[in-house]
Amino acid sequence: MPIRSIIIGTGSHVPQRVVTNKDLASRVDTTDEWIRTRTGIIQRHISNDQETNSYLATQSARKALDMAGVRPQDLDLIIVGTMSPDMPMPSVACLVQNELGAKKAGAFDLYAACTSFLYALSVADKFVRCNSRMKILVIGSEVLSRVTNWEDRNTCVIFGDGAGAAVITGTKEDRGILSTHLHSDGSLGELLIIKGLGTAFPVSHENLEKGWQYIQMQGREVFKHAIKAMESAAWEAMEANGWNGDDVDLLFSHQANIRIINFLGEKLGLPKEKIFINIHKYGNTSAASIPIALDEANRTGLLTPGLRILMVAFGGGFTWGSVAMCW
Ligand code: ACO
């Protein structure tokens, strides 16, 4: 039997403060009804000053390590998928490594926007396949509220903060990660962009006035690409594993928009009970959305041995991909 990667612990953490649609309607020209019907979001959690990306990531990691029964000092690698790090350097992964006291672990961040967790899981999978004893902490963590223009109704109603984590190791049993597929199309990067927080357009009064420090999204265009890309990534994973719709027991789609999730479910022929949804509680938490969902499903006992899981994500870059696994 080949070596496969399994998830032996999950954890998640969201900020305490809840911001409802009604709260937002008092700030920008929107309504609870518009947000619910166009996105499926009812509320989101928004960080305070102390709840940084690395703080949320560390909290989620502690819970995942606890469940896995793995000590921080036994970790070999920490990968954090994010696009809203505390700072460009050091990485969130290094900040987490220090907080946990994961003395022998390598640590790096991975930037693939909302697809970051699946990219990170896929990288971890390759390491584990080379050495089944490795213990890898994979985190998706975001504080998008800090890069959101709270006057822009096109974006501020969508995003939320949070983190989710998973501890990965190897097994020779016939379960675990079965396939990973990653894709990108940089030609469409301008449709979903934070232009001004890097080195090409450094922070300046001029660039701040243009709002380049914030997420800018052409929502309708992103929507169109997201549904196409996610559907094709889902079929690709199913074909690779010889699955048809009936073989998928639970779909974890990136929680970007309820209409995208439902569309994907319909295209795959999945009944509602096979589609995990928590966007109403958290909004779009980008890289954190799939690991938060996984952890919720895990802790409520939905993830039973042998369950066939399909994870699909899409995000800025553009990036998209899938991970299929048998729990
Ligand atoms: N409240 C009220 N009206 C609004 C709001 C709001 N919050 N936001 C936009 N509108 C208006 C628009 O101004 C527009 O009005 P107009 O027709 O007078 O011009 C109208 O509503 C329709 O706007 P659309 O942008 O076409 O609305 P749409 O139905 O597409 O919903 C949304 C917008 C929710 C952003 C949707 O396009 C979407 O979910 N896009 C995909 C997001 C996504 O998948 N992101 C991927 C990953 S995210 C990442 O990587 C970080």
Side-chain angles (χ1 to χ4, degrees):
M1 194 56 66
I3 293 165
R4 289 200 194 286
S5 310
I6 47 170
I7 295 178
I8 54 172
T10 57
S12 59
H13 193 82
V14 291
Q16 290 206 329
R17 183 155 68 106
V18 170
V19 173
T20 63
N21 293 346
K22 224 172 135 209
D23 295 331
L24 289 176
S26 67
R27 273 183 97 129
V28 290
D29 181 16
T30 190
T31 60
D32 174 49
E33 208 249 331
W34 192 95
I35 303 171
R36 277 175 199 249
T37 53
R38 303 310 291 168
T39 71
I41 300 165
I42 294 176
Q43 61 172 52
R44 70 288 289 140
H45 291 251
I46 299 295
S47 288
N48 64 28
D49 289 348
Q50 282 73 47
E51 291 166 322
T52 58
N53 186 320
S54 62
Y55 171 82
L56 298 178
T58 304
Q59 296 304 105
S60 70
R62 288 193 205 285
K63 293 174 193 170
L65 288 167
D66 221 39
M67 185 190 282
V70 170
R71 299 176 311 168
Q73 59 267 38
D74 294 330
L75 284 172
D76 297 291
L77 189 61
I78 300 171
I79 312 175
V80 178
T82 190
M83 61 166 171
S84 50
D86 292 23
M87 54 201 82
M89 184 173 69
S91 63
V92 177
C94 282
L95 297 171
V96 171
Q97 179 274 335
N98 181 47
E99 278 298 315
L100 293 176
K103 296 236 180 291
K104 71 168 175 145
F108 66 91
D109 286 0
L110 187 156
Y111 292 75
C114 300
T115 322
S116 294
F117 181 76
L118 294 193
Y119 266 66
L121 196 55
S122 169
V123 172
D125 176 50
K126 306 301 172 258
F127 273 101
V128 166
R129 281 172 189 256
C130 294
N131 177 354
S132 66
R133 284 201 298 262
M134 280 190 91
K135 292 192 172 51
I136 304 182
L137 179 61
V138 180
I139 303 173
S141 182
E142 302 281 15
V143 187
L144 290 185
S145 60
R146 305 274 167 87
V147 293
T148 297
N149 179 355
W150 288 94
E151 323 254 282
D152 175 13
R153 69 176 185 174
N154 290 300
T155 50
C156 78
V157 302
I158 293 169
F159 299 111
D161 300 333
V167 181
I168 319 295
T169 192
T171 184
K172 285 196 171 157
E173 293 169 22
D174 190 15
R175 65 194 177 100
I177 293 180
L178 305 172
S179 67
T180 65
H181 291 93
L182 306 179
H183 296 282
S184 67
D185 184 352
S187 73
L188 299 166
E190 291 273 338
L191 296 175
L192 181 50
I193 192 166
I194 305 173
K195 205 162 190 170
L197 294 178
T199 54
F201 305 101
V203 175
S204 66
H205 287 298
E206 214 182 12
N207 291 343
L208 289 175
E209 263 163 38
K210 289 184 205 149
W212 285 2
Q213 69 276 31
Y214 298 128
I215 296 182
Q216 285 164 352
M217 179 168 79
Q218 294 182 38
R220 205 174 298 181
E221 282 307 304
V222 175
F223 189 99
K224 278 191 230 156
H225 288 284
I227 53 177
K228 257 195 240 151
M230 288 172 82
E231 189 194 347
S232 86
W235 286 122
E236 186 180 29
M238 287 162 68
E239 269 165 33
N241 292 290
W243 290 359
N244 60 38
D246 291 342
D247 295 315
V248 176
D249 295 319
L250 200 51
L251 171 72
F252 289 96
S253 163
H254 168 44
Q255 307 284 306
N257 185 315
I258 192 72
R259 289 181 289 141
I260 297 177
I261 302 169
N262 287 341
F263 174 89
L264 186 59
E266 258 168 47
K267 286 283 174 184
L268 303 181
L270 299 179
K272 290 233 175 307
E273 58 276 14
K274 287 189 171 187
I275 306 170
F276 193 88
I277 293 172
N278 64 6
I279 189 172
H280 51 290
K281 292 193 276 183
Y282 305 113
N284 177 348
T285 56
S286 181
S289 103
I290 288 184
I292 290 175
L294 259 186
D295 184 49
E296 278 199 357
N298 200 8
R299 284 174 195 272
T300 50
L302 277 178
L303 304 186
T304 48
L307 196 83
R308 280 160 303 194
I309 292 171
L310 178 59
M311 299 178 238
V312 186
F314 177 87
F318 288 155
T319 54
W320 65 97
S322 67
V323 173
M325 70 180 294
C326 177
W327 193 257

